[in-house]
Amino acid sequence: MAGPFAAQHLGDLGADVIKVEPTTGEWQRHVAAGGARGAQINVSFLSLNRNKRSLAVDLKTDAGKALLLEMVKTADVFLQNYRPGVAHRLGVDYETLSKINPRLIYVSMSGYGEDGPYRNYPGQDLLLQAMSGAMMSSGAADQPPQPAGQYLVDAITAYTAFEGALAALFHRERTGEGQLVQVNMLDAIATIQMQELSVFTIGGKPQTRSAEPHAHSYIRAPYGVFQTRDGYISIAMASLKTLGGLIDEPFFADLDDETDSWTYRDEIYACVRQRLVHRDSADWLALFRDNDIWCGPVYGYAELVEDPQIRHNETFVEYDHPTEGRVKAPGFPIRFSKTPSTIERGAPLVGEHTREILAETGRGPDEIDALIRSGVVRAA
C-alpha cells in the first residue's frame, strides 16, 4: 500500500504519475482487500491508483528496461518500494538512474531499511505495528495487544515518502541538485510516537498497561471508550470533579486531576464504566458537551460517511470510472486556495496508457505495435 498511496498523493497534487507495472498487472490488481472485487479493477487497487497512467512493460527484457531508462531522463521523481536489492538487480537503483538524470529525486521505500539485520524481512503493516511498541500503549494488561483498525504503518510511511519527495523537489528548485530519499516503515511508525517514546527515553516512565482497558498508557484517566445503554462513546481527560457530579460519582469529588488520575486510573475507569451503561449515548454526549467534558461518538464506517461534518468538509469524492461505474472514496486532506486537487482519471487498466506514453517518447504507431507484439509492453 505505501508506495502506491504515496504516488497517488503526488498525482492528486497535479503530478503526471506513470505507474510502471508488469504486463500481467501489479500484484494488488489480483488481491482484493476485504474480498471487494470490481468489474475489472478490484476496490483495493482502485483506492490507491487514481490520477495515474499505466505503462505495462516487462523490465526483465532489455527492450523493456531501455524504455524505462529513456523516461528517467526527463522524470522529476522515481519512486519504488521493492525489497532491498531488487531495484539493483533490475538495474533501476539510484546509482544507475542518477547517472542518467542527476536532477532525479529517487524515493526508495522499504520495510526496515536498505541495510541492517532486518533488511530482508517482509515489511507488512501488522508486523511493523507489533514491532513498533504501539500496541502496548493501550488496552488492559491481561488482554492480548490489539492492532489498529487501519493499515496504519502503510499510510504513515506513504505520507513520509510523499513529504520527502516534496522536500527534495524544493531543494532541487533552489540548487538544481537531485538526491536519494530513503524511507522505511519501521522508522516511520517509531517517529510518529514522538511523545510516547520521549516520555519513556527522557522521562523514564515505563510503558505500563492498566487492569482496565485504558486507551493510552501515558494519558491520565478517564481516557477510553465506554459502553452506554445503546452503544459506545469516547471520553478524553475530563475534569474529575465535573465528571463525577454529572455521573453521580462522589468518589471523584476530592480527586486531583494531575495526580490522582494516575494513582487511581483503574478505579476511575471502572466507576465511569459502571455509571455510563444506564443511559443512551446521545444523552451522555449532550450532557457532557454542555459541561465541557471532552467526548465523542464511536462510529463505524456506516455512521462516518453520513456524519454532517464529513459531508460539510466534502471528505469523500465521487466520480465516474469507465469500468467500475460511480465511485465514492476518501478525497483530499489538503485544501489549496490556488491549486485545488482534482481527479483527472480513476485507477487505470493494465497498460491503459502504454500507447499514449510511448508516443510521448517519440515512437510511431508501427514501433509501438511491434513492442506490443513482442510482449515487451502491454496495451489495454
Short mmCIF file of all heavy atoms in Angstrom, two decimals, residues 1-12 19 28 47-50 52 79 81 109 151 154-159 162 330-331 333:
data_model
loop_
_atom_site.label_atom_id
_atom_site.label_comp_id
_atom_site.label_asym_id
_atom_site.label_seq_id
_atom_site.Cartn_x
_atom_site.Cartn_y
_atom_site.Cartn_z
N MET A 1 0.81 -1.21 0.00
CA MET A 1 0.00 0.00 0.00
C MET A 1 0.85 1.27 0.00
O MET A 1 0.48 2.26 -0.62
CB MET A 1 -0.91 0.00 1.23
CG MET A 1 -1.66 1.30 1.48
SD MET A 1 -2.66 1.21 2.98
CE MET A 1 -3.09 2.93 3.17
N ALA A 2 1.98 1.26 0.71
CA ALA A 2 2.71 2.50 0.96
C ALA A 2 3.16 3.19 -0.33
O ALA A 2 2.97 4.40 -0.49
CB ALA A 2 3.91 2.23 1.87
N GLY A 3 3.77 2.44 -1.24
CA GLY A 3 4.26 3.03 -2.48
C GLY A 3 3.15 3.60 -3.35
O GLY A 3 3.20 4.78 -3.74
N PRO A 4 2.14 2.80 -3.68
CA PRO A 4 1.04 3.33 -4.49
C PRO A 4 0.33 4.52 -3.84
O PRO A 4 -0.07 5.46 -4.53
CB PRO A 4 0.10 2.13 -4.62
CG PRO A 4 0.99 0.94 -4.49
CD PRO A 4 2.04 1.35 -3.49
N PHE A 5 0.16 4.49 -2.51
CA PHE A 5 -0.53 5.57 -1.82
C PHE A 5 0.29 6.86 -1.89
O PHE A 5 -0.25 7.95 -2.11
CB PHE A 5 -0.78 5.16 -0.38
CG PHE A 5 -1.86 5.94 0.32
CD1 PHE A 5 -2.87 6.58 -0.37
CD2 PHE A 5 -1.87 6.02 1.71
CE1 PHE A 5 -3.87 7.29 0.28
CE2 PHE A 5 -2.86 6.72 2.38
CZ PHE A 5 -3.85 7.36 1.67
N ALA A 6 1.61 6.76 -1.72
CA ALA A 6 2.48 7.93 -1.81
C ALA A 6 2.40 8.54 -3.21
O ALA A 6 2.30 9.77 -3.37
CB ALA A 6 3.92 7.56 -1.47
N ALA A 7 2.46 7.69 -4.22
CA ALA A 7 2.41 8.18 -5.60
C ALA A 7 1.04 8.79 -5.92
O ALA A 7 0.95 9.77 -6.68
CB ALA A 7 2.71 7.04 -6.57
N GLN A 8 -0.02 8.24 -5.33
CA GLN A 8 -1.35 8.81 -5.55
C GLN A 8 -1.43 10.22 -4.98
O GLN A 8 -2.06 11.11 -5.56
CB GLN A 8 -2.43 7.92 -4.93
CG GLN A 8 -3.84 8.47 -5.10
CD GLN A 8 -4.90 7.47 -4.72
OE1 GLN A 8 -5.18 6.52 -5.44
NE2 GLN A 8 -5.51 7.66 -3.55
N HIS A 9 -0.82 10.44 -3.82
CA HIS A 9 -0.80 11.80 -3.26
C HIS A 9 -0.14 12.78 -4.22
O HIS A 9 -0.62 13.90 -4.41
CB HIS A 9 -0.03 11.81 -1.94
CG HIS A 9 -0.76 11.18 -0.79
ND1 HIS A 9 -2.08 11.45 -0.51
CD2 HIS A 9 -0.35 10.31 0.15
CE1 HIS A 9 -2.45 10.76 0.55
NE2 HIS A 9 -1.42 10.05 0.96
N LEU A 10 0.95 12.36 -4.86
CA LEU A 10 1.61 13.23 -5.84
C LEU A 10 0.68 13.49 -7.02
O LEU A 10 0.59 14.62 -7.51
CB LEU A 10 2.91 12.58 -6.31
CG LEU A 10 4.02 12.50 -5.26
CD1 LEU A 10 5.16 11.59 -5.75
CD2 LEU A 10 4.56 13.88 -4.92
N GLY A 11 -0.01 12.45 -7.47
CA GLY A 11 -0.96 12.63 -8.56
C GLY A 11 -2.11 13.55 -8.19
O GLY A 11 -2.56 14.36 -9.00
N ASP A 12 -2.58 13.44 -6.96
CA ASP A 12 -3.67 14.30 -6.51
C ASP A 12 -3.27 15.77 -6.51
O ASP A 12 -4.10 16.66 -6.64
CB ASP A 12 -4.13 13.90 -5.10
CG ASP A 12 -4.93 12.60 -5.09
OD1 ASP A 12 -5.32 12.12 -6.17
OD2 ASP A 12 -5.17 12.07 -3.98
N LYS A 19 2.51 4.88 -13.75
CA LYS A 19 2.66 3.64 -12.99
C LYS A 19 3.27 2.59 -13.90
O LYS A 19 2.63 2.12 -14.85
CB LYS A 19 1.30 3.17 -12.47
CG LYS A 19 1.38 1.93 -11.59
CD LYS A 19 0.01 1.54 -11.07
CE LYS A 19 0.11 0.40 -10.09
NZ LYS A 19 0.75 0.80 -8.82
N GLN A 28 -1.35 -6.17 -6.72
CA GLN A 28 -2.54 -5.78 -5.97
C GLN A 28 -3.80 -5.79 -6.83
O GLN A 28 -4.92 -5.81 -6.30
CB GLN A 28 -2.34 -4.40 -5.34
CG GLN A 28 -3.30 -4.13 -4.19
CD GLN A 28 -2.88 -2.95 -3.36
OE1 GLN A 28 -2.31 -2.00 -3.87
NE2 GLN A 28 -3.17 -2.99 -2.07
N SER A 47 -8.60 2.10 -5.03
CA SER A 47 -8.48 3.12 -4.00
C SER A 47 -7.11 3.76 -3.94
O SER A 47 -6.95 4.84 -3.38
CB SER A 47 -8.81 2.51 -2.63
OG SER A 47 -7.81 1.56 -2.25
N LEU A 48 -6.08 3.12 -4.50
CA LEU A 48 -4.71 3.59 -4.35
C LEU A 48 -4.07 4.06 -5.65
O LEU A 48 -2.89 4.40 -5.66
CB LEU A 48 -3.83 2.46 -3.77
CG LEU A 48 -4.24 1.93 -2.39
CD1 LEU A 48 -3.40 0.71 -2.03
CD2 LEU A 48 -4.09 3.01 -1.34
N ASN A 49 -4.83 4.11 -6.73
CA ASN A 49 -4.18 4.36 -8.02
C ASN A 49 -4.91 5.33 -8.92
O ASN A 49 -4.73 5.31 -10.14
CB ASN A 49 -3.98 3.02 -8.75
CG ASN A 49 -2.91 2.18 -8.09
OD1 ASN A 49 -1.73 2.41 -8.26
ND2 ASN A 49 -3.35 1.20 -7.31
N ARG A 50 -5.69 6.25 -8.34
CA ARG A 50 -6.30 7.28 -9.18
C ARG A 50 -5.21 8.27 -9.60
O ARG A 50 -4.13 8.33 -9.01
CB ARG A 50 -7.43 7.98 -8.43
CG ARG A 50 -6.96 8.86 -7.28
CD ARG A 50 -8.13 9.46 -6.54
NE ARG A 50 -7.67 10.25 -5.39
CZ ARG A 50 -8.31 10.32 -4.23
NH1 ARG A 50 -9.42 9.64 -4.04
NH2 ARG A 50 -7.84 11.07 -3.25
N LYS A 52 -3.29 8.34 -12.12
CA LYS A 52 -2.07 7.73 -12.65
C LYS A 52 -2.35 7.20 -14.05
O LYS A 52 -3.49 6.86 -14.39
CB LYS A 52 -1.60 6.56 -11.77
CG LYS A 52 -1.30 6.93 -10.32
CD LYS A 52 -0.88 5.69 -9.53
CE LYS A 52 -0.73 5.99 -8.06
NZ LYS A 52 -0.34 4.79 -7.29
N LEU A 79 9.94 6.65 -7.86
CA LEU A 79 9.56 6.08 -6.56
C LEU A 79 9.43 4.57 -6.70
O LEU A 79 8.75 4.08 -7.59
CB LEU A 79 8.23 6.68 -6.10
CG LEU A 79 7.75 6.35 -4.69
CD1 LEU A 79 6.89 7.50 -4.14
CD2 LEU A 79 6.92 5.06 -4.65
N ASN A 81 9.18 0.75 -4.23
CA ASN A 81 9.12 0.12 -2.90
C ASN A 81 9.35 -1.39 -3.00
O ASN A 81 8.64 -2.19 -2.41
CB ASN A 81 7.79 0.44 -2.18
CG ASN A 81 6.57 -0.11 -2.90
OD1 ASN A 81 6.61 -0.38 -4.09
ND2 ASN A 81 5.49 -0.28 -2.16
N MET A 109 11.58 3.13 -0.85
CA MET A 109 10.80 2.76 0.33
C MET A 109 11.05 1.29 0.67
O MET A 109 11.10 0.44 -0.23
CB MET A 109 9.31 2.99 0.06
CG MET A 109 8.99 4.39 -0.41
SD MET A 109 7.27 4.61 -0.92
CE MET A 109 6.44 4.44 0.65
N TYR A 151 -4.60 0.22 8.11
CA TYR A 151 -3.24 -0.11 7.67
C TYR A 151 -2.37 1.08 8.04
O TYR A 151 -1.89 1.84 7.18
CB TYR A 151 -3.22 -0.40 6.17
CG TYR A 151 -4.22 -1.46 5.76
CD1 TYR A 151 -5.22 -1.19 4.83
CD2 TYR A 151 -4.17 -2.74 6.31
CE1 TYR A 151 -6.13 -2.17 4.46
CE2 TYR A 151 -5.09 -3.72 5.95
CZ TYR A 151 -6.06 -3.42 5.03
OH TYR A 151 -6.97 -4.37 4.67
N ASP A 154 1.47 1.47 6.83
CA ASP A 154 1.50 1.74 5.39
C ASP A 154 1.16 3.21 5.11
O ASP A 154 1.84 3.88 4.32
CB ASP A 154 0.48 0.85 4.66
CG ASP A 154 1.03 -0.53 4.38
OD1 ASP A 154 2.25 -0.69 4.22
OD2 ASP A 154 0.21 -1.48 4.33
N ALA A 155 0.09 3.69 5.75
CA ALA A 155 -0.36 5.06 5.49
C ALA A 155 0.66 6.08 5.97
O ALA A 155 0.97 7.05 5.27
CB ALA A 155 -1.71 5.30 6.16
N ILE A 156 1.21 5.87 7.17
CA ILE A 156 2.20 6.80 7.71
C ILE A 156 3.45 6.81 6.83
O ILE A 156 4.04 7.86 6.56
CB ILE A 156 2.56 6.42 9.15
CG1 ILE A 156 1.36 6.65 10.07
CG2 ILE A 156 3.78 7.18 9.64
CD1 ILE A 156 0.91 8.09 10.15
N THR A 157 3.86 5.64 6.37
CA THR A 157 5.04 5.55 5.50
C THR A 157 4.79 6.26 4.17
O THR A 157 5.67 6.93 3.63
CB THR A 157 5.43 4.09 5.26
OG1 THR A 157 5.58 3.42 6.52
CG2 THR A 157 6.73 3.98 4.48
N ALA A 158 3.58 6.11 3.64
CA ALA A 158 3.23 6.79 2.39
C ALA A 158 3.34 8.30 2.54
O ALA A 158 3.91 8.99 1.69
CB ALA A 158 1.82 6.39 1.96
N TYR A 159 2.79 8.82 3.62
CA TYR A 159 2.86 10.26 3.84
C TYR A 159 4.30 10.72 4.07
O TYR A 159 4.68 11.82 3.66
CB TYR A 159 1.98 10.65 5.03
CG TYR A 159 0.56 10.96 4.64
CD1 TYR A 159 -0.44 10.01 4.77
CD2 TYR A 159 0.22 12.21 4.12
CE1 TYR A 159 -1.74 10.28 4.40
CE2 TYR A 159 -1.09 12.48 3.74
CZ TYR A 159 -2.07 11.52 3.89
OH TYR A 159 -3.36 11.80 3.51
N PHE A 162 5.93 10.82 0.65
CA PHE A 162 5.34 11.96 -0.05
C PHE A 162 6.00 13.26 0.42
O PHE A 162 6.42 14.10 -0.37
CB PHE A 162 3.84 11.95 0.22
CG PHE A 162 3.09 13.18 -0.19
CD1 PHE A 162 2.90 13.49 -1.51
CD2 PHE A 162 2.52 14.01 0.78
CE1 PHE A 162 2.18 14.61 -1.90
CE2 PHE A 162 1.80 15.13 0.41
CZ PHE A 162 1.63 15.44 -0.92
N PRO A 330 -12.54 8.30 -0.16
CA PRO A 330 -11.93 9.45 0.51
C PRO A 330 -11.20 10.34 -0.48
O PRO A 330 -10.56 9.85 -1.42
CB PRO A 330 -10.95 8.79 1.49
CG PRO A 330 -11.54 7.45 1.77
CD PRO A 330 -12.15 7.02 0.48
N GLY A 331 -11.30 11.64 -0.26
CA GLY A 331 -10.75 12.58 -1.22
C GLY A 331 -9.41 13.16 -0.82
O GLY A 331 -8.44 12.43 -0.63
N PRO A 333 -7.06 15.50 1.72
CA PRO A 333 -7.00 16.07 3.07
C PRO A 333 -6.41 17.47 3.13
O PRO A 333 -6.47 18.12 4.17
CB PRO A 333 -6.10 15.08 3.82
CG PRO A 333 -5.20 14.54 2.76
CD PRO A 333 -6.03 14.46 1.52
#
